Amino acid sequence: MSENEIESQYRELKNIISNYITNFDAQKLDLAFSVAKRAHKGQKRFTGHSFIVHPLTVATTLAEWKLDLNTIIAGLLHDTIEDGDATREELVEKFGEEVAQLVDGVTKVTHIRLVGSKEAQFIETLRKMILVMANDLRVVLLKLADRLHNMKTLYALPKEKQYKNALETIEIYSPLAERLGIGKIKGELDDLSFPYLQPKEYERVKKGSARYYKRSLTEITHIKKVLLRKFSDEGVPVEVRGRRKHLYSLWKKLQRSSVDWDFEKIYDIIAFRILVDSVKDCYIALGIVHGNFKPFPKIPMSDFIAQPKPNGYRSIHTKVFGPHGHIIEVQIRTREMHEQAEFGAAAHWAYAEAKSSNTKESELEKGVSITGDKIKWVKQLVQWQKELTDSKEFLEAVKLDAFHSRILVFSPKGDVFDLPDGATPIDYAFTVHTGLPNFIGSVMVNGKIVPLDHKLSNGDLVEIKKSKSFRNVKKDWLEFVVSTAARHGIRKQLRKTK
Ligand code: MN
């Protein structure tokens, strides 16, 4: 990339930012860009490009995710200490403590490496990463943007490094993106890693799927035409989208015994999505779809709006016969649900914006309450965003100390549970499964036996040894549990046993 191209990419970055932050501090950004250029002067990436292209691309990705200015600045500076000639002092002096901390965070995460492929080590790695994240979620978004660009340029690295980095991406970063609910990035990271890890399988899926993609596209084009007319007759505003299924997730599906490499059984080879404004419209849309295309009787429709998936995913999925008799999956959701499924933790920014422009308060409330606790802090952020846009206070708030009053603990399998501060093993048990509290034999935290009222800390590994026999819940548990789930569950059972 020439000097000119770099400058023009930088202008484009400013352009993207100005679309969602009015009157942003362009001087501060300019200074960050010039410090980054100086710090990386003369350095080249394996691709042959000047190093600055990398931080510039990372910053651009962060701007596309509509992150705040300091995160974008940290994106420009994220390698200046580690790989360039800048110092922490310089960053603090020129950009403030917050930017320096974001850069520190990214460096920390970078040093957490996949040490082995053994499950225990993998969980430990993921655990450390989530702890860094819990301090400031923006660090993880930064790291994901960094990884995304590194994966896009992986072709230029030596072979062994390609394999190692691809493995690390698929084993750590992509599950991390998934747990944060950022489906879009997870899919991208998977597909960027796949060809390096299993080149033959990658080719097999790519070649094998080509004709089914084409066929599905024809059907979908037809369905889309019919539906758009019907929706407009009914006066329901919709947007219809189709996206190719990611190859890696397609590959995983093909291996299921129920599919066994039969492409005919992949009904969502192109995810066909109908986006509407409200939950009510989702059901109207479902009626219109079923009224015009016969639903496939063997697989019932799934309503993840009435019953969201544990990760908060909401959508209605139904399968219908297309015009040529092939089965096509149709997904119906509101735009908010879509944003949340695609961008998860990162969505609240975009979400808050949509809210201030045209989303009705009642819709937002509805959307938030359905997914419950997990989204509460997102709601909190939306609230902050509204009250404190561009002020220093907001940035303080966004440091995701929404996690502050929450702790993250781990099951022996590495599942992460988010609990209120002060939570005990009883709270944990109710969060894992409502039946579990009746079978607690003993509790181990980080390998040591603890009493039931033990206060859990961030990052604890909690293991419940099950008893063989059913035991009633105890009234005195109410004195120390802190979660709504536990309190509610205990009371309910006490009423029954009276
Ligand atoms: Mn980097």
Side-chain angles (χ1 to χ4, degrees), residues 290-308:
H290 283 179
N292 291 280
F293 298 94
K294 268 203 173 71
F296 180 52
K298 284 184 192 154
I299 304 170
M301 146 206 127
S302 318
D303 186 348
F304 300 118
I305 293 179
Q307 278 172 315

Side-chain angles (χ1 to χ4, degrees), residues 15-137:
N15 205 4
I16 298 171
I17 301 173
S18 65
N19 281 333
Y20 69 97
I21 310 180
T22 36
N23 302 323
F24 74 94
D25 188 347
Q27 273 182 339
K28 193 172 175 187
L29 190 75
D30 287 344
L31 182 62
F33 187 48
S34 69
V35 167
K37 277 194 287 192
R38 186 215 70 216
H40 296 297
K41 203 174 171 67
Q43 293 177 355
K44 286 230 181 305
R45 301 258 296 171
F46 273 102
T47 51
H49 289 145
S50 2
F51 195 94
I52 190 68
V53 173
H54 169 65
L56 184 53
T57 307
V58 170
T60 307
T61 303
L62 294 166
E64 278 160 0
W65 296 348
K66 295 196 170 72
L67 290 169
D68 66 285
L69 187 64
N70 273 356
T71 308
I72 296 166
I73 286 178
L76 285 173
L77 300 168
H78 79 275
D79 282 323
T80 55
I81 299 180
E82 192 70 350
D83 301 318
D85 74 357
T87 61
R88 190 179 198 283
E89 292 68 39
E90 184 189 4
L91 298 195
V92 173
E93 189 204 312
K94 289 184 172 142
F95 307 100
E97 180 61 32
E98 185 183 299
V99 168
Q101 269 180 24
L102 285 167
V103 173
D104 276 349
V106 181
T107 313
K108 236 186 251 165
V109 176
T110 309
H111 285 290
I112 304 171
R113 298 222 76 117
L114 180 64
V115 266
S117 54
K118 279 203 201 104
E119 199 185 15
Q121 286 164 329
F122 162 64
I123 291 167
E124 186 58 28
T125 308
L126 198 59
R127 186 161 106 147
K128 279 187 198 146
M129 218 170 262
I130 290 178
L131 288 182
V132 175
M133 171 192 101
N135 283 325
D136 192 336
L137 183 61

Side-chain angles (χ1 to χ4, degrees), residues 96 132 195 217 259 319 486:
V132 175
L217 196 63
V259 178
K319 293 177 183 65

Side-chain angles (χ1 to χ4, degrees), residues 434-451:
T434 48
L436 184 56
N438 298 108
F439 290 92
I440 299 177
S442 61
V443 181
M444 310 261 279
V445 169
N446 303 325
K448 281 194 196 114
I449 292 190
V450 299

Side-chain angles (χ1 to χ4, degrees), residues 169-188:
T169 299
I170 220 153
E171 293 202 334
I172 291 182
Y173 290 97
S174 124
L176 194 59
E178 186 177 25
R179 274 181 198 178
L180 287 170
I182 320 178
K184 187 177 155 62
I185 314 297
K186 181 210 163 6
E188 271 187 59

